[in-house]
Amino acid sequence: MLKYLGSRVDMNKSLLIKNIGRLVTMEEGDDRDGKLGVILDAAVQIEEGKISWIGTSSESVNMNADDVIDIGGQVVMPGLIDCHTHLVHAGSREDEFNLRSQGKSYKEIAEAGGGIMSTVRSTREASLEDLYDEVSKRADEAIRNGITTMEIKTGYGLDLATEIKMADAIGELDSSHPLEVYGTFLGAHIVPAEYKSRRSEYIDIVVSQMLPQIAKKEWITSCDVFIEDIAYSIDEARSIARAAKDLGLAIHLHVDQFGDGGGAKLAAELGALSADHLDHTSKKGMKLMAEGGVIGVVLPGASFFTGGGHYPDVRKMFENGMKVAIATDYNPGTTPSLNLMLNASIAVTQMGMTCDEALLGITRTAAEALGLAYRGVVAEGMRGDLIVLDCTDEYYPLYRYGENMISQVIIGGNAINT
Ligand SMILES: [Zn+2]
């Protein structure tokens, strides 16, 4: 695990960051395009884990704090928020990547024992300790990529014991790692092989056994269902999501990845926080999401890494009034990358997002997709989660796609030693 300066629980320390060339607040302002609220030559103070003061470097000259960091004119923005990941799993699948490179199809790979069920098998076999060891290394990587808050789903257990083990690995991360974590129960990811011919029995286990036990864990705040021909139907998803809502969980849905399956409409009907993927969502579905305040989450890495060149129509989403966030969808099969800034670059080059829209999509709008106030924006009262970028313009990290420009990560006012 990362060592970090100061303790996560030591919220009494104050931190002053000065000589910020461009402070990108993500609040509307009158800078370049007016969308990102940039303050020039800025300084920020964090006290008790929250931003307590924002001003200019000259105003900060006589201010005192326990720690003072002079960042020499670099760019500062809110810590990045990855609002859709499958970070907890055992093993990796680079062997399949090699098979794909030789022309093998997903179907052939799955029939040979690969694909998602191979991750399910390794995750079932792993102990909680081993699972935590793997996930905490990935959480370190996430922080090195500037991610300060992350949503993490279960869903590679697909049986009661392993889903609980995955939820507990997320809980362990929540209590002992500096990354801020929000857990999502995804017991309805796919139908496990052993229940293929009796899927209603599995759904009954999800609703009557898994959900009640996992919803009790305070770090599990949401429930997700994968709606697709190869996974769950609209009616099945509705019954699972309603049961989750009754237990106080918020709803996210995987929808329309391979075809328009009506999931966007269900997300609006359920008052979901977000509907994610949206590669084939209709205009009607987009309108319903906009009216229902459901945030659209696009996952550029999933389209990029699986090939084929199909990306969601983000311009149409904006035309229909939607708000759109970007996430990594980190998972061992279809997109094993934690580089959220690279995902934002792909959203710009392949989905037609503007640089401003992409930067908002990995900060402010991503916070909305998780229903989290007090983060994703640099303003007084917000959490002291900031990243320092080794550049003098906030578009530079998008333009230098794939390069890591993060020079400092601050979580809850603590400078993390990456
Ligand atoms: Zn996903």
Side-chain angles (χ1 to χ4, degrees), residues 84-86 153 156 186 189 224 226 254 257 276-277 299 329-331 334:
H84 180 141
T85 83
H86 305 258
K153 302 175 197 296
Y156 292 120
L186 179 60
H189 192 180
D224 193 341
F226 187 20
H254 280 69
Q257 185 178 4
D276 306 17
H277 279 294
L299 309 165
D329 190 22
Y330 168 88
N331 73 74
T334 60

